[in-house]
Amino acid sequence: MITANFKGTQQDLYAICKLAWNSCTQHLADFTAFKTKYDATFVADQLTEVDAAEAMPDSQARYAESEVLRVHLVEMATDATNNWQNLKRYIADAFPEIEQKARLEEAGSNYYLKAGNDSWDNVQGLLTAGKNFITTHDAILQSAGFMPTTFSTKFSDDKTAFNTQHQLFLDSEETAKQETQVKNVANNDIFANLMVMLLDGQEIFKYDEATKAQFIYSDLLSTVSGTSQAGIRGTITDTQN
């Protein structure tokens, strides 16, 4: 997993980049004299890359689809566990008490508790075991267990719907992760380019503390994040002192 190389939020990074590259533009002659790569086109290209990185979907946008899919997945998991509870009642009538534990385990009871805690793999295990049990014991479930003839189809359809939704959810999560990686790479790239320019700026203005401060990342971070201390410094005097 590629992580951020910079301090502050993504929005802090974009604001710092714009502020710093604009400062570079204001002192472009000094930068060009130091390194010939610095010209108006070069700075414009850097700002274009910043805009492109910022335009990529943020975390909320990237995971919105998977969040919606998960909401419906939870509903389908509830339907699945409810179906299994119905099956459990049919088993209670269809088989003698001495066989109940073995039959319920055959039908997937060991998956049930975890399936109720949004463990999708266990929901799938529960549905698969339940469907296989119904297929194997359909006749006795209907005759001795009083299971409706439509239940087998409903169980199977709900199983298919859950599996389809689960796959959509997994695909969406994977897509969001990939988009996160792409955005992290873009952010790290613009940060790396920024730091080269800032270090150059610090060298160019090493004897000009006021201008040099415009090219120090920590100072810029304080400015854009609102944590810097602003105000007038000096000595207050009056006619007596």
Side-chain angles (χ1 to χ4, degrees):
M1 173 68 72
I2 297 173
T3 58
N5 294 335
F6 53 89
K7 292 182 179 180
T9 67
Q10 291 181 127
Q11 293 308 122
D12 288 338
L13 173 65
Y14 305 140
I16 289 170
C17 284
K18 293 172 185 178
L19 185 61
W21 284 109
N22 284 335
S23 293
C24 178
T25 298
Q26 292 172 9
H27 300 281
L28 193 56
D30 296 299
F31 274 87
T32 303
F34 183 69
K35 285 183 180 179
T36 57
K37 73 175 182 178
Y38 290 107
D39 57 24
T41 300
F42 178 80
V43 174
D45 288 344
Q46 301 305 310
L47 287 170
T48 296
E49 290 185 10
V50 173
D51 289 339
E54 185 175 14
M56 293 178 184
D58 61 14
S59 179
Q60 285 299 114
R62 291 194 301 271
Y63 283 94
E65 184 62 23
S66 61
E67 186 176 341
V68 171
L69 289 168
R70 188 184 185 283
V71 169
H72 294 295
L73 195 60
V74 170
E75 292 179 344
M76 291 178 176
T78 299
D79 290 340
T81 54
N82 286 340
N83 284 343
W84 193 86
Q85 282 291 348
N86 291 340
L87 175 59
K88 180 179 178 181
R89 298 309 308 148
Y90 302 142
I91 292 172
D93 282 346
F95 299 94
E97 185 176 353
I98 195 173
E99 296 182 15
Q100 293 291 306
K101 182 177 181 296
R103 294 304 183 186
L104 288 172
E105 289 176 351
E106 181 186 357
S109 62
N110 290 334
Y111 295 107
Y112 183 80
L113 287 178
K114 292 182 180 179
N117 294 320
D118 297 343
S119 173
W120 312 130
D121 289 343
N122 281 286
V123 174
Q124 288 183 310
L126 183 72
L127 292 174
T128 298
K131 185 177 184 299
N132 290 341
F133 187 90
I134 293 170
T135 299
T136 302
H137 303 286
D138 184 67
I140 190 171
L141 286 170
Q142 288 191 49
S143 61
F146 309 103
M147 183 183 77
T149 57
T150 56
F151 182 77
S152 177
T153 300
K154 182 181 187 313
F155 196 101
S156 180
D157 289 347
D158 286 350
K159 175 181 181 296
T160 299
F162 176 86
N163 288 341
T164 300
Q165 187 79 0
H166 184 226
Q167 189 59 52
L168 289 173
F169 171 74
L170 292 177
D171 291 344
S172 179
E173 285 277 289
E174 188 60 33
T175 297
K177 289 178 183 177
Q178 291 173 358
E179 290 176 348
T180 297
Q181 293 286 74
V182 171
K183 190 172 179 73
N184 285 343
V185 168
N187 286 341
N188 286 341
D189 285 347
I190 64 174
F191 173 71
N193 293 337
L194 171 71
M195 289 307 300
V196 171
M197 185 271 287
L198 292 182
L199 291 174
D200 287 344
Q202 291 171 35
E203 178 63 24
I204 294 167
F205 299 108
K206 60 185 175 182
Y207 300 119
D208 181 352
E209 290 298 324
T211 305
K212 178 183 175 181
Q214 298 177 33
F215 302 97
I216 298 176
Y217 187 86
S218 59
D219 288 357
L220 293 170
L221 178 59
S222 295
T223 298
V224 302
S225 62
T227 58
S228 61
Q229 293 183 350
I232 299 174
R233 294 184 179 182
T235 302
I236 299 175
T237 63
D238 58 22
T239 57
Q240 302 299 318
N241 184 8

